[in-house]
Amino acid sequence: MLWAFQWMPFTAPSPIGKNQHHHVMNLEQEKNADSMRLCISKTNRFFDKIAEGGGPKRIEKLHAEGKMTARERVNYLLDAGKPVVEIGAFAGFEMYKEHGGCPAGGVVVVIGYVRGRQCIVVANDATVKAGAWFPITGKKNLRAQEIAMENRLPIIYLVDSAGVYLPMQDEIFPDKEHFGRIFRNNAKMSSAGIPQLAAIMGSCVAGGAYLPIMSDEALIVERTGSVFLAGPYLVKAAIGESADKEALGGAAMHSEISGVTDYKMPDDKTCLDTIKDLIDKYGHFEKAGFDRATPQPPQTSEEEFLSIFPESGGKPYDTLALLRSLTDDGQLTQYKEHYGKTIICAYARIDGWAVGIVANNRQVVKNAKGEIQFGGVIYSDSADKATRFILNCNQKKIPLVFMHDVTGFMVGTRSEQGGIIKDGAKMVNAVANSTVPKFTVIVGNSFGAGNYAMCGKAYDPRLIVAWPTAKIAVMGGEQAAKVLAQIQIQGMKDKNLAADPEQEKALVDEIKARYEEQTTPYYAAARLWVDAIIDPRDTRKWISMGIEAANNAPVERFNPGVIQT
């Protein structure tokens, strides 16, 4: 029997607008809402193609073998009607074109619920190069394990893989963050008492054979599942012995003779049902103790929420209104409201969870001296304020949520003489040493050192997601094009070569186009700089599920290190 499967990249958003008031939008707000819906629609179209994996023919072939696809397996395993988030759906997007592509990195990774227990599930997609591991596959598997290790989440592997993709073995096999690190993590998780459960539902070859067997328990499906260090062809070539797949590593052999596997399953469905029964018996870890009240929806209507972010991402907008559209009942308690105004720091609740929010304020403001400060830029006073707030949240054991729309730190002689580097270093120090869980949402720009100070991927957020409007780079495309063009033009002048205005313009346009392509959220998600591109309406769900996961792992004592004053 086969199971119908429908997978949506953006599941039903969290409730918005319990006490919503009637709001008549002006023309600009309508344009903003339409633009955001178009961005969401574009992301959905890309995902629909990704979700096909290797395509309809390969899916049909898998079904003919009596196997479910990776997404069908995940869908059947997870509790119906419970929230789910997918990690790395865009991994490998538009990469490896010369090898036929690698949709979703050839593996499906989700955080969901099995018998009410939050778990992370990793399922090889056998329709993509027989589930072989590309470099991005390894990176995505390691990210899944990292999430499990940080949050002490049980991890379930649904194994169906041909092993390393041999044409690219030099990029996946030997290094610290390559294939072998997976098995090192298996051992580390076992030592830490983090449950690992593996189901061998297809091929499991060579080095890949260690993953399920280094898990706590292993199931294997008859006829379709097999696990061995060397297959029939390699055994024949190596030692001259003729042996078929079942004798070398089939379900009967490993369950009845070698004792390598623990459960012999007749089919995929029974295997997944057995996993549910096993998970149902797991004990529970000590909780971190993050505070949660009864969840309340925001006051903002869905349409009003989508209308806040501007059609042109460079325009100022009401950041406080955006934050109130995400917090319970629209409530915020601002920290140092009238100081360091280009960063908003506030205590709030999201889906009941207490959080500390650090958000770039995109409105143009005036400081106490009456000086204009540009929205989205981090000034010395803002960095100082954010640093103190991060320290407070660590002292009170309150998870941190970073909302990015930052073009970087303020530059120029006045800022440099005012010690912007030192103030920025304080903020980076506080972020780096923070021990409460951090969650990052990239709403718009995330440029330069602003990315670091606002807890970019390098600073270990438990989850990091991007809206379809996000841009991630060392600087904006326009600025980068002008800087690089100036350098090249100066080089030509040094050689006594002249560039006419048309050449200069063509050079700037070429550099800008290349740079703009590299700043898109799709480029970032393809390389796992972010865990997902999400529908903005799902922001609350991602943060809530992330904090629930983090609550499984007690927080270490906070030591901020040396923060110069």
Side-chain angles (χ1 to χ4, degrees):
M1 178 180 177
L2 299 176
W3 294 268
F5 180 79
Q6 291 184 333
W7 189 276
M8 294 299 292
F10 301 138
T11 54
S14 302
I16 288 180
K18 175 186 175 186
N19 302 313
Q20 59 184 258
H21 50 279
H22 181 66
H23 178 79
V24 179
M25 294 195 297
N26 60 36
L27 183 60
E28 184 175 357
Q29 289 173 316
E30 289 178 359
K31 285 182 177 179
N32 291 346
D34 288 344
S35 176
M36 184 62 80
R37 290 186 188 280
L38 285 173
C39 288
I40 294 168
S41 178
K42 178 181 178 181
T43 305
N44 278 332
R45 288 197 306 273
F46 285 148
F47 180 85
D48 288 343
K49 184 65 178 175
I50 290 168
E52 292 179 357
K57 289 185 178 179
R58 290 182 183 174
I59 292 174
E60 288 175 17
K61 182 180 178 183
L62 214 62
H63 287 167
E65 295 171 0
K67 295 163 70 174
M68 302 163 74
T69 67
R71 292 183 182 276
E72 287 169 341
R73 287 167 175 167
V74 171
N75 190 57
Y76 185 83
L77 178 64
L78 296 179
D79 294 348
K82 295 280 281 182
V84 57
V85 295
E86 180 169 353
I87 305 294
F90 281 81
F93 182 68
E94 295 190 337
M95 295 169 65
Y96 312 118
K97 291 180 181 179
E98 68 277 21
H99 297 278
C102 187
V107 61
V108 178
V109 175
V110 303
I111 301 174
Y113 298 84
V114 178
R115 293 285 173 91
R117 179 69 173 259
Q118 197 178 47
C119 302
I120 188 159
V121 184
V122 181
N124 298 115
D125 187 348
T127 69
V128 180
K129 293 288 191 293
W133 289 52
F134 282 68
I136 198 66
T137 317
K139 188 173 183 179
K140 185 170 175 179
N141 274 268
L142 288 169
R143 177 61 179 145
Q145 290 185 320
E146 180 181 43
I147 292 170
M149 293 165 79
E150 285 183 329
N151 301 290
R152 300 187 67 84
L153 280 184
I155 186 167
I156 302 165
Y157 307 101
L158 306 181
V159 186
D160 193 346
S161 171
V164 166
Y165 183 60
L166 293 178
M168 302 187 75
Q169 65 84 26
D170 61 318
E171 297 181 48
I172 182 62
F173 170 65
D175 212 344
K176 181 179 178 180
E177 302 301 332
H178 284 177
F179 190 67
R181 187 78 171 184
I182 304 290
F183 317 131
R184 176 264 189 194
N185 287 349
N186 287 142
K188 287 290 187 181
M189 280 190 277
S190 179
S191 174
I194 299 168
Q196 300 176 83
L197 197 57
I200 302 162
M201 308 182 81
S203 297
C204 190
V205 185
Y210 288 104
L211 184 147
I213 309 310
M214 291 188 73
S215 299
D216 301 312
E217 294 180 286
L219 305 86
I220 187 168
V221 179
E222 292 182 285
R223 295 178 300 281
T224 56
S226 61
V227 54
F228 37 64
L229 293 180
Y233 295 119
L234 183 53
V235 168
K236 181 68 175 176
I239 64 173
E241 180 186 357
S242 296
D244 63 24
K245 199 161 117 177
E246 286 298 314
L248 279 172
M253 192 282 283
H254 278 310
S255 299
E256 300 169 18
I257 299 174
S258 75
V260 166
T261 54
D262 306 303
Y263 306 92
K264 183 174 70 171
M265 302 285 105
D267 52 40
D268 279 10
K269 180 179 180 294
T270 307
C271 182
L272 296 168
D273 284 336
T274 304
I275 291 173
K276 294 178 187 182
D277 289 340
L278 292 171
I279 294 289
D280 188 51
K281 313 300 187 299
Y282 282 4
H284 294 270
F285 294 115
E286 175 190 354
K287 299 298 183 184
F290 303 127
D291 188 69
R292 192 179 196 187
T294 302
Q296 300 290 334
Q299 292 187 358
T300 314
S301 70
E302 177 181 304
E303 194 70 20
E304 187 178 354
F305 173 51
L306 293 179
S307 74
I308 296 170
F309 191 85
E311 180 185 16
S312 172
K315 287 184 179 180
Y317 58 89
D318 190 344
T319 306
L320 274 173
L322 185 144
L323 296 180
R324 293 187 191 282
S325 298
L326 295 171
T327 60
D328 288 18
D329 202 33
Q331 297 298 308
L332 292 166
T333 302
Q334 286 197 64
Y335 173 77
K336 290 185 180 292
E337 179 180 353
H338 304 292
Y339 173 72
K341 294 180 183 178
T342 65
I343 285 183
I344 295 170
C345 297
Y347 299 105
R349 290 190 183 274
I350 293 179
D351 200 33
W353 294 105
V355 296
I357 298 173
V358 180
N360 302 113
N361 186 4
R362 280 309 309 268
Q363 291 190 312
V364 177
V365 298
K366 285 185 180 181
N367 64 15
K369 299 175 183 177
E371 298 166 334
I372 295 293
Q373 292 185 329
F374 299 104
V377 179
I378 303 176
Y379 290 77
S380 285
D381 54 354
S382 299
D384 174 65
K385 167 178 160 179
T387 300
R388 297 187 194 199
F389 183 72
I390 291 165
L391 300 181
N392 287 348
C393 286
N394 273 271
Q395 186 179 38
K396 301 175 189 178
K397 198 154 57 172
I398 300 174
L400 285 159
V401 176
F402 293 84
M403 302 287 291
H404 286 220
D405 197 347
V406 58
T407 52
F409 284 85
M410 191 59 190
V411 296
T413 54
R414 185 169 183 174
S415 292
E416 298 292 1
Q417 291 169 8
I420 187 68
I421 293 176
K422 184 173 74 172
D423 291 317
K426 294 179 196 175
M427 185 174 174
V428 170
N429 189 320
V431 172
N433 285 305
S434 176
T435 56
V436 294
K438 300 166 290 193
F439 301 90
T440 299
V441 182
I442 303 175
V443 174
N445 299 323
S446 185
F447 293 159
N451 173 279
Y452 304 154
M454 292 293 293
C455 195
K457 183 67 183 290
Y459 289 80
D460 301 319
R462 296 295 178 96
L463 293 172
I464 176 169
V465 297
W467 287 8
T469 47
K471 291 183 178 181
I472 305 168
V474 72
M475 65 179 71
E478 187 78 40
Q479 297 94 322
K482 288 178 180 178
V483 169
L484 292 170
Q486 286 172 15
I487 292 170
Q488 292 190 32
I489 291 165
Q490 185 60 50
M492 293 172 69
K493 288 179 180 178
D494 291 344
K495 296 175 183 178
N496 295 318
L497 299 173
D500 62 51
E502 287 189 8
Q503 282 181 306
E504 290 185 24
K505 184 179 183 304
L507 184 60
V508 169
D509 289 345
E510 187 270 327
I511 295 171
K512 183 181 176 184
R514 185 174 71 246
Y515 216 84
E516 291 290 352
E517 179 187 351
Q518 294 175 357
T519 65
T520 69
Y522 305 104
Y523 192 91
R527 290 152 183 81
L528 288 173
W529 301 346
V530 296
D531 291 318
I533 304 171
I534 69 168
D535 184 325
R537 295 166 296 184
D538 281 337
T539 305
R540 282 168 53 85
K541 179 181 73 172
W542 274 83
I543 293 170
S544 177
M545 287 187 68
I547 297 175
E548 182 182 347
N551 203 33
N552 290 308
V555 174
E556 297 176 7
R557 187 179 70 83
F558 176 62
N559 183 350
V562 177
I563 297 182
Q564 295 181 343
T565 57

